[in-house]
Amino acid sequence: MIKKSYLLLSLLQAVMSQEWNCITPRDVRAQEGLCVQIPCNYSYPLRLANQPRVGIWYNNEENTLSSVAFHSKNRNRELPRFRHRTRLSGDLKDGDCSLIINNITQEDAGPYYFRIEFPNNDRYNNYPVTRLCVSDFTDKPLIFPAGIIAGKRVDISCTFNTTCDGTIPVLTWVNATDIPGSVSNSATQHGDTLTYTSVLTLIPSLKHQGQSLTCRVRYPSVSSEQSLTLTVQYAPRMLSITSLDMINDSSISIKEGNYTVILCSVESFPASNLTWRHLGVTRNRTSSNNELWLEFAHVTYRVAGDYQCAAENEHGAMERIITITVEYPPKETTVTIIGATGGIRVGNNITLTCCSKSVPPASSYAWFRIDGNRITQLNTSAQSVYIGHVTRESDASFYCTARNPLGNGMSAIVHLNVECFNRWEVRLLAAAILLSAEVAGFLIFNYVRKRKAATEERASATSDIAMTHSPFSAKHQDPNQYRSQQGEGMLPSGDGTVHRGEDSE
């Protein structure tokens, strides 16, 4: 842009004044080892437009032959230290007199001015001079990091900018031996700025995490470099669960009453969101942190179960389940009677079994018998006690205790009520009695009903006979005739006395 501005201004002045003129900056800075451009644009009278010309740059404030840095007609007139290092960036016919010096050294610092010569002694020296300042080479290439994700192809760019189109810088990648990739180079220009670019294409993996990539820019006498430490993004991996207590693969054993914490940790980048869940309920969670604690201030047996730790970031997710086992002494100890369905009767065979909840399971048992005010411990440590052929003397109370390494638990007292008959027999006897009573009642009812019917039938028959054969009826006026038909019997007399009749001879 500076060179174009000088050219436009020079041409404008030439058109307006049609006189000699030259525009150069007062100061130019360059770094040792690079190239530098001193912008220059000149104008001249129009009458010389088609005339040949010679452009000369001097490395002092006077036009002495011992200080020629560039000569457009005779390069042999240049000082040896400038030979093959200087040139013009444009064409003198276009008014462009910009000087390029390659591979700058500290000796190149100093004043520079331009002289233009035409035939017939038409010439022009440009004053004031331009001073070139040379400093150490400090410019470095720039690396533009991209999102580096394990297993996905990525392009990493390295660029270097310069305003001089002299010596072309060389960009190279210095990689670790286990980071293979392909490289492509290009150059673009935007105004007066030249941009040199080198693109490294690779497929990163987790083994590249923390390794360095270096981009180096090199000129003939100087070089510099820029490094990038690879930060590889990846999904959660290596999820682990640890505890203050013993850990065994996928389970943790904790003693009841203890305080404990469980740590879930994972490797991922970016950091994961971690969540603890139990029975589908979230117990604890954190964001963008690869560690998450789960705390139990006072462990009880109800804490036991499966706990899930889940880790997730933008590249993936994983989870792990840990089983918590709580160790506690026997609880809810009970005695179960086997073989006494419907009650205990004389002659039964029964088994008393001691049952309890505990972790680890109970390893020994104790049995006690209560007779009145006397308690006797049975000579056994088994879980069950067999009582064969129950008698009335077996009627007593029993209880048991279950023991594991953490303690013991005692059951409630169970009383054996020995019956002479078992309940089924009593029920069958009662049913038989009821059935017999019902049958007897039915028979008596039928008997009474039949007797009543017979009595009523006889009474009815007697009444009919009395009406038909009465001695006072009109058909039988002769008592003797009645008596002869009926035989001997009791007959009423006229005075109301009863006489026994006699058969006629």
Side-chain angles (χ1 to χ4, degrees), residues 185-225:
N185 297 316
S186 63
T188 57
Q189 184 168 2
H190 300 281
D192 291 333
T193 301
L194 284 167
T195 301
Y196 296 90
T197 303
S198 181
V199 178
L200 173 64
T201 300
L202 55 85
I203 299 178
S205 64
L206 286 181
K207 67 179 181 180
H208 300 144
Q209 176 74 10
Q211 296 189 14
S212 293
L213 288 177
T214 300
C215 179
R216 180 176 296 161
V217 60
R218 181 169 49 83
Y219 281 91
S221 61
V222 293
S223 65
S224 67
E225 60 187 33

Side-chain angles (χ1 to χ4, degrees), residues 482-489 491 501-503:
Y482 175 78
R483 184 171 56 250
S484 63
Q485 292 177 352
Q486 298 295 325
E488 185 177 359
L491 297 174
E502 296 178 357
D503 296 335

Side-chain angles (χ1 to χ4, degrees), residues 57 119 129 164 266 301 356 407 482 496 503:
W57 276 93
V129 299
C164 176
V266 70
Y301 70 95
S356 66
Y482 175 78
D503 296 335

